[in-house]
Amino acid sequence: MTSTVVHETERLTLQTWELDDFAAFAPIARDPAVMHFIADGKAWPDSRIGWFMGLQRAHQHSLGYCCWKLIERETGDLIGFCGIAPVFNLDETEIGWWLKQSHWGQGYASEAAHCVADAAFAVHGLDRLVARVYEDNAASRRLIGKLGMTFDRVIDRTDLGTVLMFETHRTPSGR
């Protein structure tokens, strides 16, 4: 099967996942630096990587959105993901992103997240969007601020640190 382009930015296409994306995505999910502020802070085994990709395919099919893979337009490389997904235990919809280390600090996450946040309201009809982040994750907290999200509450305290939740809502103009 071929991926479908769901959203586009100047430098990126956001696409649906295919089974053959595993080889390109797995090194990202295995990178300790990328995973430092994700879940338990540990690199993912193949089974969890495959589960995540399958879950995104299921979300896309049932909800019309997911955490889409990010493809760099210039190279065609899979460089991470950005998208929206339900957080069932919180009854929320969350925006999230991961990028290959080689693409950090170049504005890719911001470019993708702004596209996704706008689409969450204007295209996918959401009224509220949240982001969860470890308090010490300064880069993601900066991006959350750029998205205009405001602090909502502390949602967890773990051995890795305090997890904060931020929120934003649809405005009368649509975003």
Side-chain angles (χ1 to χ4, degrees):
M1 290 191 91
T2 305
S3 294
T4 301
V5 174
V6 180
H7 300 292
E8 295 183 277
T9 70
E10 181 181 335
R11 299 181 295 166
L12 301 166
T13 59
L14 287 77
Q15 300 180 12
T16 57
W17 292 89
E18 299 303 329
L19 297 177
D20 61 359
D21 293 324
F22 185 89
F25 180 63
I28 299 169
R30 292 180 188 137
D31 183 334
V34 171
M35 302 309 291
H36 180 73
F37 288 116
I38 306 299
D40 62 3
K42 296 178 181 166
W44 283 6
D46 288 355
S47 60
R48 190 164 182 187
I49 296 165
W51 169 85
F52 173 84
M53 290 173 56
L55 180 64
Q56 299 319 306
R57 289 169 51 91
H59 285 333
Q60 180 66 39
H61 178 74
S62 64
L63 302 170
Y65 56 80
C66 69
C67 291
W68 298 287
K69 66 182 178 185
L70 295 177
I71 303 296
E72 187 177 35
R73 291 173 83 142
E74 184 178 317
T75 64
D77 292 342
L78 192 157
I79 64 165
F81 74 77
C82 185
I84 48 180
V87 182
F88 295 111
N89 65 326
L90 296 175
D91 195 27
E92 299 282 4
T93 303
E94 175 181 43
I95 186 170
W97 52 84
W98 299 1
L99 282 180
K100 274 183 177 181
Q101 253 192 100
S102 59
H103 288 72
W104 290 0
Q106 299 174 46
Y108 286 104
S110 181
E111 186 175 324
H114 277 91
C115 173
V116 166
D118 289 345
F121 299 119
V123 176
H124 303 289
L126 299 177
D127 292 318
R128 174 179 156 93
L129 197 59
V130 301
R132 294 177 294 169
V133 62
Y134 279 104
E135 186 173 32
D136 292 340
N137 188 342
S140 286
R141 287 190 61 190
R142 276 191 302 277
L143 179 47
I144 287 167
K146 289 178 186 178
L147 292 173
M149 300 181 91
T150 56
F151 178 75
D152 181 56
R153 67 185 187 266
V154 171
I155 59 171
D156 201 5
R157 296 183 196 282
T158 73
D159 291 342
L160 294 176
T162 301
V163 181
L164 309 175
M165 188 160 77
F166 292 81
E167 67 176 346
T168 189
H169 298 269
R170 178 196 306 258
T171 63
S173 66
R175 165 82 167 87

Tab-separated table of all heavy atoms in Angstrom, residues 4-7 14-16 55-68 83-86 93 116 119-120 123-126:
chain	number	residue	atom	x	y	z
A	4	THR	N	-0.917	7.864	2.379
A	4	THR	CA	-1.724	8.990	1.936
A	4	THR	C	-1.204	10.250	2.600
A	4	THR	O	-0.974	10.266	3.819
A	4	THR	CB	-3.200	8.781	2.333
A	4	THR	OG1	-3.659	7.574	1.734
A	4	THR	CG2	-4.065	9.949	1.900
A	5	VAL	N	-1.005	11.306	1.825
A	5	VAL	CA	-0.633	12.596	2.387
A	5	VAL	C	-1.893	13.209	2.989
A	5	VAL	O	-2.904	13.377	2.306
A	5	VAL	CB	-0.030	13.528	1.315
A	5	VAL	CG1	0.211	14.919	1.887
A	5	VAL	CG2	1.267	12.937	0.761
A	6	VAL	N	-1.819	13.513	4.279
A	6	VAL	CA	-2.974	14.041	4.997
A	6	VAL	C	-2.873	15.555	5.154
A	6	VAL	O	-3.857	16.267	4.984
A	6	VAL	CB	-3.109	13.358	6.377
A	6	VAL	CG1	-4.307	13.894	7.134
A	6	VAL	CG2	-3.205	11.849	6.211
A	7	HIS	N	-1.688	16.034	5.462
A	7	HIS	CA	-1.438	17.465	5.625
A	7	HIS	C	-0.057	17.759	5.060
A	7	HIS	O	0.809	16.885	5.017
A	7	HIS	CB	-1.498	17.885	7.102
A	7	HIS	CG	-2.818	17.627	7.746
A	7	HIS	ND1	-3.953	18.309	7.407
A	7	HIS	CD2	-3.180	16.733	8.704
A	7	HIS	CE1	-4.961	17.854	8.135
A	7	HIS	NE2	-4.526	16.899	8.923
A	14	LEU	N	2.727	15.172	6.097
A	14	LEU	CA	2.246	14.326	7.180
A	14	LEU	C	1.421	13.237	6.517
A	14	LEU	O	0.458	13.540	5.807
A	14	LEU	CB	1.413	15.133	8.175
A	14	LEU	CG	2.216	16.084	9.063
A	14	LEU	CD1	2.623	17.342	8.322
A	14	LEU	CD2	1.441	16.428	10.303
A	15	GLN	N	1.834	11.993	6.724
A	15	GLN	CA	1.260	10.878	5.981
A	15	GLN	C	0.788	9.760	6.890
A	15	GLN	O	1.259	9.622	8.016
A	15	GLN	CB	2.313	10.303	5.013
A	15	GLN	CG	2.829	11.283	4.003
A	15	GLN	CD	3.862	10.661	3.074
A	15	GLN	OE1	4.036	9.440	3.041
A	15	GLN	NE2	4.556	11.495	2.322
A	16	THR	N	-0.100	8.937	6.341
A	16	THR	CA	-0.553	7.744	7.042
A	16	THR	C	0.574	6.719	7.096
A	16	THR	O	1.496	6.753	6.285
A	16	THR	CB	-1.777	7.131	6.341
A	16	THR	OG1	-1.442	6.845	4.982
A	16	THR	CG2	-2.972	8.077	6.404
A	55	LEU	N	-1.484	0.978	16.047
A	55	LEU	CA	-2.461	1.835	16.718
A	55	LEU	C	-2.734	3.092	15.904
A	55	LEU	O	-3.889	3.523	15.776
A	55	LEU	CB	-1.957	2.204	18.123
A	55	LEU	CG	-2.875	3.091	18.954
A	55	LEU	CD1	-4.195	2.381	19.254
A	55	LEU	CD2	-2.166	3.485	20.253
A	56	GLN	N	-1.692	3.682	15.328
A	56	GLN	CA	-1.892	4.890	14.514
A	56	GLN	C	-2.733	4.561	13.275
A	56	GLN	O	-3.610	5.335	12.880
A	56	GLN	CB	-0.555	5.515	14.131
A	56	GLN	CG	0.288	5.967	15.306
A	56	GLN	CD	-0.504	6.630	16.413
A	56	GLN	OE1	-1.248	7.591	16.187
A	56	GLN	NE2	-0.373	6.123	17.635
A	57	ARG	N	-2.493	3.423	12.675
A	57	ARG	CA	-3.294	2.999	11.512
A	57	ARG	C	-4.759	2.819	11.924
A	57	ARG	O	-5.671	3.220	11.206
A	57	ARG	CB	-2.721	1.721	10.910
A	57	ARG	CG	-1.390	1.952	10.194
A	57	ARG	CD	-0.678	0.652	9.818
A	57	ARG	NE	-1.496	-0.295	9.101
A	57	ARG	CZ	-1.608	-0.364	7.771
A	57	ARG	NH1	-0.919	0.471	7.025
A	57	ARG	NH2	-2.366	-1.272	7.211
A	58	ALA	N	-4.983	2.236	13.096
A	58	ALA	CA	-6.350	2.039	13.591
A	58	ALA	C	-7.023	3.370	13.889
A	58	ALA	O	-8.202	3.568	13.557
A	58	ALA	CB	-6.332	1.146	14.835
A	59	HIS	N	-6.281	4.291	14.529
A	59	HIS	CA	-6.849	5.621	14.800
A	59	HIS	C	-7.227	6.327	13.503
A	59	HIS	O	-8.301	6.933	13.405
A	59	HIS	CB	-5.861	6.494	15.579
A	59	HIS	CG	-5.711	6.149	17.021
A	59	HIS	ND1	-6.678	5.547	17.783
A	59	HIS	CD2	-4.664	6.334	17.853
A	59	HIS	CE1	-6.257	5.378	19.013
A	59	HIS	NE2	-5.016	5.851	19.083
A	60	GLN	N	-6.342	6.272	12.520
A	60	GLN	CA	-6.628	6.933	11.239
A	60	GLN	C	-7.902	6.354	10.627
A	60	GLN	O	-8.759	7.093	10.146
A	60	GLN	CB	-5.446	6.780	10.274
A	60	GLN	CG	-5.660	7.445	8.927
A	60	GLN	CD	-5.743	8.952	9.011
A	60	GLN	OE1	-5.012	9.583	9.779
A	60	GLN	NE2	-6.634	9.550	8.242
A	61	HIS	N	-8.023	5.042	10.674
A	61	HIS	CA	-9.193	4.382	10.089
A	61	HIS	C	-10.476	4.730	10.843
A	61	HIS	O	-11.501	5.037	10.225
A	61	HIS	CB	-8.977	2.866	10.070
A	61	HIS	CG	-10.140	2.102	9.538
A	61	HIS	ND1	-10.448	2.069	8.192
A	61	HIS	CD2	-11.094	1.380	10.168
A	61	HIS	CE1	-11.550	1.349	8.020
A	61	HIS	NE2	-11.953	0.913	9.201
A	62	SER	N	-10.431	4.704	12.178
A	62	SER	CA	-11.664	4.894	12.959
A	62	SER	C	-11.975	6.353	13.276
A	62	SER	O	-13.146	6.716	13.392
A	62	SER	CB	-11.598	4.088	14.256
A	62	SER	OG	-10.564	4.551	15.092
A	63	LEU	N	-10.949	7.198	13.431
A	63	LEU	CA	-11.157	8.587	13.850
A	63	LEU	C	-10.917	9.609	12.745
A	63	LEU	O	-11.360	10.747	12.849
A	63	LEU	CB	-10.231	8.927	15.026
A	63	LEU	CG	-10.368	8.059	16.277
A	63	LEU	CD1	-9.246	8.354	17.248
A	63	LEU	CD2	-11.739	8.276	16.915
A	64	GLY	N	-10.138	9.206	11.729
A	64	GLY	CA	-9.780	10.150	10.668
A	64	GLY	C	-8.549	10.964	10.992
A	64	GLY	O	-8.181	11.857	10.245
A	65	TYR	N	-7.891	10.657	12.114
A	65	TYR	CA	-6.652	11.316	12.487
A	65	TYR	C	-5.821	10.364	13.328
A	65	TYR	O	-6.317	9.361	13.836
A	65	TYR	CB	-6.887	12.633	13.233
A	65	TYR	CG	-7.741	12.542	14.474
A	65	TYR	CD1	-7.216	12.097	15.681
A	65	TYR	CD2	-9.073	12.935	14.458
A	65	TYR	CE1	-7.993	12.026	16.832
A	65	TYR	CE2	-9.861	12.864	15.597
A	65	TYR	CZ	-9.317	12.420	16.775
A	65	TYR	OH	-10.086	12.351	17.908
A	66	CYS	N	-4.534	10.705	13.453
A	66	CYS	CA	-3.610	9.899	14.254
A	66	CYS	C	-2.338	10.727	14.444
A	66	CYS	O	-2.309	11.911	14.130
A	66	CYS	CB	-3.300	8.573	13.564
A	66	CYS	SG	-2.317	8.713	12.046
A	67	CYS	N	-1.299	10.098	14.933
A	67	CYS	CA	0.031	10.706	14.960
A	67	CYS	C	0.696	10.324	13.637
A	67	CYS	O	1.251	9.243	13.511
A	67	CYS	CB	0.829	10.198	16.160
A	67	CYS	SG	0.188	10.789	17.724
A	68	TRP	N	0.590	11.215	12.642
A	68	TRP	CA	1.057	10.929	11.291
A	68	TRP	C	2.578	10.947	11.218
A	68	TRP	O	3.245	11.719	11.901
A	68	TRP	CB	0.515	11.966	10.314
A	68	TRP	CG	-0.967	11.980	10.237
A	68	TRP	CD1	-1.771	11.055	9.637
A	68	TRP	CD2	-1.848	12.969	10.779
A	68	TRP	NE1	-3.093	11.408	9.778
A	68	TRP	CE2	-3.161	12.581	10.478
A	68	TRP	CE3	-1.638	14.156	11.497
A	68	TRP	CZ2	-4.273	13.328	10.854
A	68	TRP	CZ3	-2.740	14.899	11.872
A	68	TRP	CH2	-4.038	14.485	11.559
A	83	GLY	N	1.043	14.521	15.440
A	83	GLY	CA	-0.377	14.334	15.200
A	83	GLY	C	-1.186	14.421	16.471
A	83	GLY	O	-0.721	14.924	17.491
A	84	ILE	N	-2.407	13.936	16.353
A	84	ILE	CA	-3.346	13.958	17.471
A	84	ILE	C	-3.871	12.542	17.684
A	84	ILE	O	-4.014	11.764	16.747
A	84	ILE	CB	-4.506	14.945	17.216
A	84	ILE	CG1	-5.116	14.755	15.821
A	84	ILE	CG2	-4.023	16.372	17.420
A	84	ILE	CD1	-6.268	15.685	15.491
A	85	ALA	N	-4.115	12.237	18.945
A	85	ALA	CA	-4.588	10.904	19.295
A	85	ALA	C	-5.357	10.970	20.610
A	85	ALA	O	-5.073	11.819	21.459
A	85	ALA	CB	-3.410	9.938	19.422
A	86	PRO	N	-6.315	10.065	20.777
A	86	PRO	CA	-7.052	10.045	22.042
A	86	PRO	C	-6.176	9.541	23.188
A	86	PRO	O	-5.305	8.691	22.991
A	86	PRO	CB	-8.195	9.068	21.760
A	86	PRO	CG	-7.731	8.217	20.637
A	86	PRO	CD	-6.764	9.047	19.841
A	93	THR	N	-7.993	14.509	23.882
A	93	THR	CA	-7.264	14.311	22.632
A	93	THR	C	-5.984	15.111	22.738
A	93	THR	O	-6.002	16.299	23.050
A	93	THR	CB	-8.088	14.759	21.418
A	93	THR	OG1	-9.321	14.026	21.418
A	93	THR	CG2	-7.343	14.493	20.125
A	116	VAL	N	-0.695	20.692	12.628
A	116	VAL	CA	-1.582	19.720	13.272
A	116	VAL	C	-2.585	20.414	14.193
A	116	VAL	O	-3.771	20.068	14.197
A	116	VAL	CB	-0.758	18.657	14.030
A	116	VAL	CG1	-1.622	17.840	14.972
A	116	VAL	CG2	-0.044	17.753	13.035
A	119	ALA	N	-5.218	22.002	12.096
A	119	ALA	CA	-6.066	20.971	11.494
A	119	ALA	C	-6.968	20.306	12.529
A	119	ALA	O	-8.099	19.918	12.213
A	119	ALA	CB	-5.208	19.932	10.786
A	120	ALA	N	-6.492	20.165	13.768
A	120	ALA	CA	-7.304	19.540	14.812
A	120	ALA	C	-8.639	20.261	14.959
A	120	ALA	O	-9.689	19.624	15.126
A	120	ALA	CB	-6.551	19.544	16.142
A	123	VAL	N	-10.102	21.109	10.569
A	123	VAL	CA	-10.378	19.964	9.695
A	123	VAL	C	-11.035	18.815	10.467
A	123	VAL	O	-12.001	18.226	9.996
A	123	VAL	CB	-9.080	19.458	9.011
A	123	VAL	CG1	-9.344	18.217	8.175
A	123	VAL	CG2	-8.451	20.565	8.181
A	124	HIS	N	-10.509	18.529	11.643
A	124	HIS	CA	-10.955	17.350	12.380
A	124	HIS	C	-12.015	17.651	13.432
A	124	HIS	O	-12.491	16.737	14.106
A	124	HIS	CB	-9.750	16.625	12.977
A	124	HIS	CG	-8.755	16.246	11.929
A	124	HIS	ND1	-8.987	15.257	11.003
A	124	HIS	CD2	-7.540	16.761	11.624
A	124	HIS	CE1	-7.958	15.166	10.174
A	124	HIS	NE2	-7.064	16.072	10.534
A	125	GLY	N	-12.406	18.917	13.579
A	125	GLY	CA	-13.557	19.295	14.382
A	125	GLY	C	-13.417	19.199	15.884
A	125	GLY	O	-14.426	19.175	16.596
A	126	LEU	N	-12.204	19.171	16.396
A	126	LEU	CA	-12.031	19.119	17.846
A	126	LEU	C	-12.291	20.481	18.465
A	126	LEU	O	-12.105	21.520	17.825
A	126	LEU	CB	-10.623	18.649	18.189
A	126	LEU	CG	-10.248	17.252	17.695
A	126	LEU	CD1	-8.799	16.949	18.039
A	126	LEU	CD2	-11.174	16.198	18.262
